[in-house]
Amino acid sequence: MDHFSSRHDGLYAEDVPLRRIADAVGTPLYIYSAATLRRHYDILADEFKNRDALIAFAVKALSNIAVLALLGRRGAGADIVSGGELYRALKAGIPAERVVFSGVAKSRGEMEAALNAGILQFNVESEAELAHLSAVASALGKTAPVALRVNPDVDAGTDTRISTGRKDDKFGVPFADAGRLYRLAAALPGLRPQGLTVHIGSQITSVAPFERAAARVGGLVTSLRAEGHEVTHLDLGGGLGIPYERAAAAPPLPVDYAATLNRATADLNVRLILEPGRLIAGNAGLFVTRIVLTKNQEGTHYALVDGAMNDLIRPALYGARHEVMEDTPPTGVPVHHHIAGPVCESTDLFAKDVPLHEVSAGALLAFRTAGAYGAVQASQYNTRPLVPEVLVDGDRFTVIRRRPTYEEMLSLEVIPDDF
Ligand SMILES: *Cc1c(COP(=O)(O)O)cnc(C)c1O
């Protein structure tokens, strides 16, 4: 459920006409709905209100500091994967004690920054990383709170490009090594093991894999405690899928997902951490572009738009499909068009055979479900300016990242003096 709608006079984001924003900011651009972000966070938070639980938003899904601040003020923490994301989360006012640091290859500098900030937890993914973190923390005279990321060897049944919990994926330590490595973490200087973490993939469309992973890691909590270890935190990662197309099978409802996790961990007496990204941000964003011109290529109609794969790469990268909405209220018989951008790559193709009613130059098109893994993956390929982001809240909108000028885009580049 989102707060974007089609009304008699065009598309709206909450109470603001899309056309008004597009005219003011220019296209292409991303538009986020504050009400949708709040709603998605609140639905999940509500399901865990009787638990000691932290919802640490996966910053990599949508990292604009306005969005992080909005979620942080409601109590969200941050799941970060880089020093840059740590910087963002702290800038957005999310307290360090609500930050968990994931990722397979954290650098020394990133570890130091996170130790100095005093984050809640390092999610450690290998024996080598335990040794590295131990050395870095010891040198600073600090103790790093550690959760061991275990690979539960659960196939999430999702696209292989976004699956992370099978035993040959690069993530986590093998389930069979978890006990030994937890003992090692307890023995190494500068480390304090406090829990376990799993994250089995993204865009997962059934609760069964989550249930299996939670059961496996829950069993590990019990056996580690039996060995005398303290296990106070259990981080179940993110990964719940969302509906991208009306026709596709609906993923589980957040309440059903939450009930499953609650049930699987009810008796464990742990502080629960969740790391949702897509679930919170996905449906809260639109990617908006304008038709530049149309072209009939040997019988294939193309609507060529001003947005491109550098702005929204999901269709090119994962074959993702985003439902298209027309700003103009549909009248007459639609004509099927391929929608493509101006970038010099054949993969710069957003969608095929989309029925469009209005294909005149300047008409607006909105791609739904573009809030997660959209703007964050944008680049300046073809020296196209980084796509702007707008946050709508009721009848107001704010440009939360403006379009850079060409001068700004080149400001980091230098021509050597003598050649
Ligand atoms: C990407 C990622 C997430 C968020 O995944 P979603 O599918 O967006 O919920 C959470 N935790 C980790 C470790 C991740 O890598």
Side-chain angles (χ1 to χ4, degrees):
M1 152 91 203
D2 62 40
H3 291 76
F4 302 112
S5 57
S6 186
R7 300 189 192 171
H8 71 280
D9 57 344
L11 297 177
Y12 277 70
E14 302 194 18
D15 295 324
V16 186
L18 244 56
R19 214 169 307 154
R20 178 160 15 125
I21 305 173
D23 288 346
V25 182
T27 49
L29 83 163
Y30 281 90
I31 298 178
Y32 309 125
S33 153
T36 311
L37 288 164
R38 290 191 193 106
R39 180 188 153 86
H40 290 170
Y41 176 80
D42 290 353
I43 285 177
L44 204 55
D46 204 47
E47 292 302 311
F48 294 96
K49 66 176 185 293
N50 298 323
R51 297 283 300 265
D52 181 8
L54 173 69
I55 296 174
F57 176 62
V59 172
K60 75 174 194 279
L62 173 52
S63 61
N64 189 292
I65 55 174
V67 171
L68 301 183
L70 177 152
L71 296 171
R73 282 175 203 170
R74 296 184 102 67
D79 168 41
I80 60 163
V81 293
S82 72
E85 288 191 352
L86 173 65
Y87 185 76
R88 279 182 180 281
L90 297 176
K91 272 277 183 229
I94 295 180
E97 58 274 15
R98 283 194 234 145
V99 173
V100 299
F101 195 167
S102 302
V104 288
K106 305 166 191 79
S107 71
R108 166 177 283 267
E110 289 174 329
M111 288 176 173
E112 286 171 350
L115 284 162
N116 286 328
I119 65 165
L120 171 63
Q121 174 169 296
F122 289 82
N123 290 352
V124 170
E125 304 214 15
S126 63
E127 182 164 357
E129 194 189 358
L130 278 180
H132 190 192
L133 183 58
S134 165
V136 176
S138 302
L140 284 181
K142 307 239 179 214
T143 300
V146 165
L148 201 58
R149 177 164 173 184
V150 294
N151 184 323
D153 191 15
V154 166
D155 188 342
T158 187
D159 189 287
T160 52
R161 287 167 291 194
I162 50 175
S163 183
T164 58
R166 299 162 304 179
K167 64 179 184 300
D168 53 351
D169 288 323
K170 75 176 177 187
F171 300 96
V173 303
F175 200 82
D177 292 351
R180 177 178 68 81
L181 293 177
Y182 207 90
R183 283 190 291 284
L184 177 65
L188 284 171
L191 301 185
R192 179 172 48 78
Q194 65 181 23
L196 297 171
T197 170
V198 285
H199 171 74
I200 56 176
S202 199
Q203 188 52 21
I204 298 168
T205 52
S206 91
V207 294
F210 292 110
E211 196 164 17
R212 277 200 297 278
R216 291 212 76 188
V217 77
L220 200 52
V221 170
T222 309
S223 63
L224 288 170
R225 282 177 175 160
E227 285 183 40
H229 294 293
E230 265 199 57
V231 187
T232 52
H233 291 66
L234 182 59
D235 179 343
L236 294 176
L240 185 63
I242 59 172
Y244 277 90
E245 296 176 281
R246 272 172 225 264
L253 292 173
V255 291
D256 296 332
Y257 161 78
T260 301
L261 298 188
N262 261 326
R263 211 177 320 113
T265 58
D267 302 327
L268 285 178
N269 188 25
V270 283
R271 176 156 202 225
L272 210 54
I273 301 171
L274 300 181
E275 303 170 348
R278 195 188 304 270
L279 179 63
I280 290 182
N283 284 327
L286 297 181
F287 175 64
V288 179
T289 182
R290 274 189 205 278
I291 296 177
V292 178
L293 52 84
T294 56
K295 184 174 177 182
N296 188 336
Q297 202 76 328
E298 300 286 331
T300 301
H301 295 285
Y302 278 93
L304 297 169
V305 296
D306 61 4
M309 63 186 288
N310 71 294
D311 306 310
L312 173 64
I313 203 174
R314 299 190 70 261
L317 190 59
Y318 313 116
R321 292 177 203 225
H322 292 264
E323 199 181 301
V324 181
M325 294 196 294
E326 291 181 273
D327 182 46
T328 332
T331 49
V333 181
V335 177
H336 284 70
H337 281 76
H338 289 9
I339 302 175
V343 160
C344 307
E345 304 273 352
S346 294
T347 50
D348 187 20
L349 180 63
F350 287 121
K352 287 184 169 175
D353 297 318
V354 180
L356 295 180
H357 297 80
E358 172 66 65
V359 286
S360 55
L364 289 175
L365 297 177
F367 291 84
R368 293 181 91 109
T369 330
Y373 307 104
V376 289
Q377 295 200 80
S379 76
Q380 302 195 139
Y381 186 40
N382 282 207
T383 309
R384 292 168 49 84
L386 205 55
V387 57
E389 297 172 283
V390 164
L391 182 66
V392 173
D393 194 1
D395 57 6
R396 292 180 307 139
F397 72 89
T398 310
V399 179
I400 56 173
R401 180 174 79 194
R402 68 174 172 81
R403 199 185 309 276
T405 63
Y406 292 143
E407 193 176 356
E408 286 170 322
M409 290 169 70
L410 297 199
S411 64
L412 302 177
E413 299 179 25
V414 169
I415 301 173
D417 282 338
D418 46 349
F419 60 44

